[in-house]
């Protein structure tokens, strides 16, 4: 009887196609491959704790609803894929959980891909509690996507993405040409952490679709995520498909905007943006038909033009699919725009973008401009946007007189952390009172603290360095250390190899001399950054093509260089000495020259290495202040080529400085393609003039209160120009011009 019952039970299991779910622990790629091949619905494949180096995992299978096949870490957060690693998943009802990608980069164009190949994609699958942290290719121009969503019905949730520094989208919904079906993906409860400026197009945090299939619907939902300092380029989220929902997200200190770039009928609602008055922080940009932007909250956004709190674009008549389609039937309603710099309508109007918005409405919005100003700007005809029932704080000479009630508005911060009018009569205007900002505890993973942040200058030890010991001290230093040089002459036969963020300074009361006998002072290698303070550099003995500080190819982007209280004596103008030369593919957050003097050399900052016409440039910010340049061929040559409008910079500032006996056949200072230029209160004596060349965007250029003696006048050039530049050349003194 017992034998017959056992046989009957076994037959029933076989007939139903079910079996007990298994946990299979694998310790190497061969075991992993075998486990994937044998996996059945309900099974879990566990990667053993530890480092999985150069692991290119392919995870395929056919789970069923309620019984997925799962790939997970043995212990969440204790499995690290490093080196040249990636993951491809394809099949149905798959789950990936608990993995960390760190300390390397993908050898292909995707880190995690929801497909094995063009014919095998993932459907109804999930990526949850996964970390990708600084898993970037070392050449910032080398493009990849961290998470590529193919297929349909997939979900990415409760994951952590931070520190992407190379080209390519952090998370992309891929809609291949010729596959217009809706994706129905969900992207929710993720932490998108800091993404620094890329210095080119291609730095979006999320992109949904591309222009090829943009006139069909994706129906992807992006909700309750945090975007924290996501500043790769002007599009934080780039929507290039229809029927998507961006809802209940929290955007913190992020430069750029949510951009409805292509596609129709998208909904942006109940999102909260805090800009903290950081330059270029924006809200939502509207293009195409039937877009709805409602019930959002914007506070402290400092961006303008394409990066305004609300931007409604002009379109191109009969536009091709990848340009700007005309805005029609847009509904912008019930939003609060508080302490924000701009609301820009008919943005980008020019000879090409001449199709003004039509049949659109801007209603029941609450507007309080930054510093009591009127945030509204119209760059073209805005009559196609009907204003109804809006309330704004009172301003002198408002741009719009109809559909906006101007009055004094007293704001109070509510329990949800947002500002609302104290007057109950205004309860129906602006963002709703029931907004609930998503919290950090709700998103990402609780078991991951993130990689260690890069050490700041001066945050480490202070190490005394005797004459003759500098090279050894640099080799032994740790990130953040300060090398304090004794008085005397420190001879350098070869450039110092700087592989961490270091400060080299004169000791208190000392004024050491660095005497350069070789090809330069320092080479910035991967992980490096250099701050020089209170010392003299004797480079009179160098010959040939020498560089004081050379940034080598492969250096991690977003390093910094600084000169403070430094003097440089070179071999003479035309002898070949450069101050800073930046290799292509690298990118500086900031290069700063303060209270320093450079004499008898060629270009002080050579930022012309990026020659590709795609908008790449070498440094986000170049700042020169209270410094002197004598007999130099050029103070700085900063170049940004291309006509793409997706970057924030470069930013160039030069103030309270002196240029004497400098320049020659060309200018003594040249800035090309920068978006922000301020040259103020400088003196140019017996030197060539200043050349600023506009190439793209709406650059903000100010050349003011400078004195030019026996010098050609400053010149603002315009090449490949679209739109009117914002330029001010005023209050400059021209004396004794030839």
């Amino acid at each position: 009887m017992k034998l017959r019952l056992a046989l009957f039970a076994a037959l029933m299991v076989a007939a139903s196609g079910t079996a007990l779910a298994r946990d299979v622990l694998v310790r190497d790629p061969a075991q992993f491959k075998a486990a994937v091949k044998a996996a059945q619905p309900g099974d879990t494949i566990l990667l053993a704790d530890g480092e999985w180096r150069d692991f290119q995992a392919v995870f395929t299978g056919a789970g069923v609803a309620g019984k997925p096949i799962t790939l997970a870490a043995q212990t969440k957060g204790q499995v690290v894929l490093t080196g040249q690693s990636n993951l491809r998943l394809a099949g149905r009802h798959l789950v990936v959980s608990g993995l960390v990608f760190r300390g390397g980069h993908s050898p292909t164009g995707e880190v995690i891909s929801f497909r094995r190949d063009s014919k095998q994609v993932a459907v109804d699958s999930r990526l949850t509690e996964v970390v990708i942290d600084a898993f970037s290719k070392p050449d910032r121009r080398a493009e990849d996507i961290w998470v590529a969503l193919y297929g349909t019905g997939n979900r990415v949730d409760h994951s952590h993405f931070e520190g992407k520094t190379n080209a390519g989208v952090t998370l992309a919904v891929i809609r291949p040409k010729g596959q217009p079906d809706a994706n129905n993906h969900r992207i929710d409860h993720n932490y998108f952490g800091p993404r620094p400026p890329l210095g080119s197009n291609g730095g979006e945090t999320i992109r949904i679709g591309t222009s090829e299939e943009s006139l069909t619907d994706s129906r992807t939902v992006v909700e309750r995520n945090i975007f924290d300092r996501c500043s790769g380029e002007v599009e934080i989220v780039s929507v290039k498909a229809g029927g998507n929902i961006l809802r209940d997200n929290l955007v913190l200190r992020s430069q750029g905007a949510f951009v409805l770039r292509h596609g129709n009928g998208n909904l942006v609602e109940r999102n909260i943006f805090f800009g903290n008055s950081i330059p270029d922080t924006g809200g939502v940009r509207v293009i195409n038909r039937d877009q709805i932007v409602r019930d959002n909250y914007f506070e402290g956004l400092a961006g303008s033009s394409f990066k305004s709190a609300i931007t409604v674009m002009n379109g191109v008549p009969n536009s091709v699919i990848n340009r700007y389609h005309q805005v029609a039937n847009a509904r912008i309603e019930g939003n609060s725009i508080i302490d924000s710099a701009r609301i820009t309508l008919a943005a980008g109007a020019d000879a090409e973008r001449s199709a003004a918005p039509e049949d659109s409405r801007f209603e029941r919005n609450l507007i309080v401009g930054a510093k009591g100003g009127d945030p509204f700007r119209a760059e073209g005809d805005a009559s196609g946007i009907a204003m109804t029932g809006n309330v704004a704080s009172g301003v002198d000479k408002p741009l719009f007189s109809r559909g906006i009630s101007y009055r004094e508005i007293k704001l109070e911060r509510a329990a949800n952390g947002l500002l609302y009018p104290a007057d109950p009569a205004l309860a129906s205007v602006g963002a709703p009172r029931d907004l609930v900002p998503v919290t950090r505890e709700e998103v990402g993973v609780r078991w991951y603290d993130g990689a260690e942040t890069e050490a700041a200058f001066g945050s480490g030890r202070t190490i005394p360095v005797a004459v003759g010991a500098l090279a050894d001290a640099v080799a032994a230093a740790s990130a953040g250390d300060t090398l304090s040089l004794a008085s005397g002459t420190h001879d350098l036969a070869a450039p110092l190899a700087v592989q961490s963020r270091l400060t080299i300074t004169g000791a208190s009361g000392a004024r050491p001399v660095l005497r350069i006998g070789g090809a330069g002072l320092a080479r910035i290698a991967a992980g490096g950054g250099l701050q020089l303070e209170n010392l003299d550099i004797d480079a009179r003995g160098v010959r040939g093509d020498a560089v004081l500080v050379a940034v080598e190819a492969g250096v991690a982007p977003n390093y910094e260089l600084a000169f403070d209280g430094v003097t440089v004596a070179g071999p003479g103008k035309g002898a070949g000495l450069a101050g800073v030369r930046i290799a292509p593919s690298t990118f500086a957050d900031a290069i700063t020259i303060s209270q320093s003097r450079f004499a008898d050399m060629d270009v002080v900052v050579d930022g012309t290495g990026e020659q590709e016409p795609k908008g790449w440039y070498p440094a986000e910010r170049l700042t020169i202040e209270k410094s002197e340049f004598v007999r130099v061929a050029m103070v700085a040559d900063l170049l940004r080529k291309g006509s793409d409008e997706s970057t924030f910079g470069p930013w160039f500032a030069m103030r309270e400085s002196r240029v004497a006996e400098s320049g020659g056949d060309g200018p003594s200072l040249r800035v090309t393609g920068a978006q922000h230029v301020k040259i103020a209160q400088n003196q140019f004596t017996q030197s060539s003039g200043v050349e600023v060349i506009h190439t793209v965007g709406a650059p903000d250029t100010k050349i003011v209160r400078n004195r030019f003696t026996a010098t050609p006048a400053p010149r603002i050039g315009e090449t490949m120009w679209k739109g009117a530049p914002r330029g001010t050349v005023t209050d400059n003194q021209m004396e004794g011009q030839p």
Side-chain angles (χ1 to χ4, degrees), residues 407-423:
R407 52 173 291 175
E408 182 179 349
I409 301 173
K410 181 182 178 182
L411 298 172
E412 295 179 344
R413 202 167 291 278
N416 63 1
L418 310 182
L419 290 168
Y420 294 96
D423 187 347

Side-chain angles (χ1 to χ4, degrees), residues 12 18 46 103 108 121 229 234 255 316 325 454 634 643 653:
M12 289 298 293
T18 62
L46 298 171
T108 63
V121 300
R229 290 163 286 169
V234 297
Q255 295 172 287
V316 177
H325 288 224
E454 187 174 8
M634 187 173 288
S643 57

Side-chain angles (χ1 to χ4, degrees), residues 351-524:
E352 182 202 21
R353 290 183 293 229
S354 60
E358 63 180 12
D359 299 328
S360 297
R361 301 185 69 83
F362 189 95
E363 57 188 355
R364 293 186 297 100
N365 299 289
L366 179 74
I367 302 121
V368 179
K371 299 179 181 179
D374 184 0
F376 282 103
R377 296 292 186 275
E379 296 182 355
D381 179 10
S383 62
I385 305 173
M387 298 281 178
T388 307
N390 302 287
V391 176
S393 56
V395 297
D396 295 332
K397 299 180 180 178
L399 180 64
F400 294 100
S401 58
R402 295 183 178 178
I404 303 178
S405 173
Y406 290 93
R407 52 173 291 175
E408 182 179 349
I409 301 173
K410 181 182 178 182
L411 298 172
E412 295 179 344
R413 202 167 291 278
N416 63 1
L418 310 182
L419 290 168
Y420 294 96
D423 187 347
L426 299 179
S428 62
V429 178
R433 304 278 177 141
D434 64 349
L435 290 180
V436 180
V438 62
T439 66
R440 185 66 180 86
E441 291 72 25
E442 293 177 63
V443 303
V445 294
R446 297 188 177 185
W447 42 261
Y448 187 75
D449 294 330
E452 293 184 8
T453 58
E454 187 174 8
F457 287 129
S459 62
R461 304 166 296 165
T462 297
I463 303 169
V465 179
V467 171
L470 179 56
D472 289 340
V474 169
S478 300
D481 285 353
T482 297
L483 305 183
S484 180
L485 306 189
S487 290
T489 300
H490 300 250
D491 285 303
L492 294 176
L496 301 167
V498 178
Q499 301 183 57
S500 58
R501 186 166 289 198
L502 298 180
T503 298
I504 301 177
T505 184
S508 178
R511 188 72 189 189
V513 176
L514 297 180
R515 185 159 59 194
I516 312 302
L521 167 64
R523 298 288 182 267
I524 308 300

Side-chain angles (χ1 to χ4, degrees), residues 113-297:
S113 178
F114 278 67
R115 72 171 185 177
R116 180 174 185 171
D117 52 43
S118 61
K119 295 181 180 179
Q120 301 179 75
V121 300
V123 175
D124 298 328
S125 296
R126 182 181 182 193
L127 186 73
T128 185
E129 291 192 276
V130 167
V131 173
I132 308 180
D133 190 348
F135 205 70
S136 300
K137 295 180 185 294
D139 185 337
R140 67 171 174 140
R141 300 169 302 180
E143 183 174 350
D144 67 4
I145 297 170
W146 275 7
V147 178
L149 271 168
Y150 296 89
T152 59
N154 297 312
R155 183 183 181 194
V156 178
D157 68 281
H158 294 90
S159 291
H160 180 115
F161 308 107
E162 176 180 355
K164 194 174 198 299
T165 55
N166 66 306
V169 183
T170 304
L171 187 154
V173 174
I174 309 295
R175 310 185 69 234
K177 187 175 182 179
Q179 297 181 28
D181 295 339
N183 305 108
N184 296 305
H185 297 314
R186 186 180 177 201
I187 303 163
D188 65 285
H189 293 88
N190 300 290
Y191 175 74
F192 294 97
R195 176 166 190 177
L198 175 64
S200 176
N201 184 25
E204 304 98 327
T205 296
I206 292 179
R207 189 189 70 220
I208 301 172
T210 56
S211 58
E212 287 84 356
E213 295 296 337
S214 61
L215 297 182
T216 59
D217 288 351
S218 174
R219 296 179 189 157
T220 292
V221 176
V222 180
E223 63 181 347
R224 295 198 75 76
N225 303 282
I226 290 179
F227 297 86
D228 180 10
R229 290 163 286 169
C230 294
S231 302
E233 59 140 274
V234 297
E235 300 185 18
I236 302 168
V237 176
S238 181
V239 176
K240 296 184 175 180
N244 303 288
I245 299 174
L246 311 182
R247 179 172 57 208
D248 286 324
N249 300 287
L250 177 62
V251 185
L252 303 172
R253 299 168 289 174
S254 297
Q255 295 172 287
F258 285 8
V259 180
L260 306 180
R261 183 63 184 87
H262 297 303
N264 304 312
N266 294 289
L267 172 62
V268 182
E269 66 174 357
R270 299 177 65 86
N271 301 284
I272 298 169
F273 294 74
F274 286 109
N276 289 39
S277 299
I278 293 170
D280 293 323
T281 47
V284 178
R285 178 153 54 112
V286 177
I287 310 161
N288 288 68
R289 299 186 58 87
D290 305 326
Q291 315 286 27
I292 299 174
V293 180
R294 70 185 180 202
D295 297 344
N296 300 284
Y297 180 90

Side-chain angles (χ1 to χ4, degrees), residues 76-119:
K76 292 178 180 180
Q78 299 302 309
V79 173
V80 180
L81 280 72
T82 188
Q84 296 194 43
S85 297
N86 59 19
L87 169 66
R88 288 176 286 162
L89 58 151
R92 289 184 173 273
H93 297 288
L94 306 177
V95 175
V96 177
S97 175
L99 309 181
V100 176
F101 289 79
R102 188 178 65 214
H105 59 89
S106 173
T108 63
E110 295 162 344
V111 178
I112 299 176
S113 178
F114 278 67
R115 72 171 185 177
R116 180 174 185 171
D117 52 43
S118 61
K119 295 181 180 179

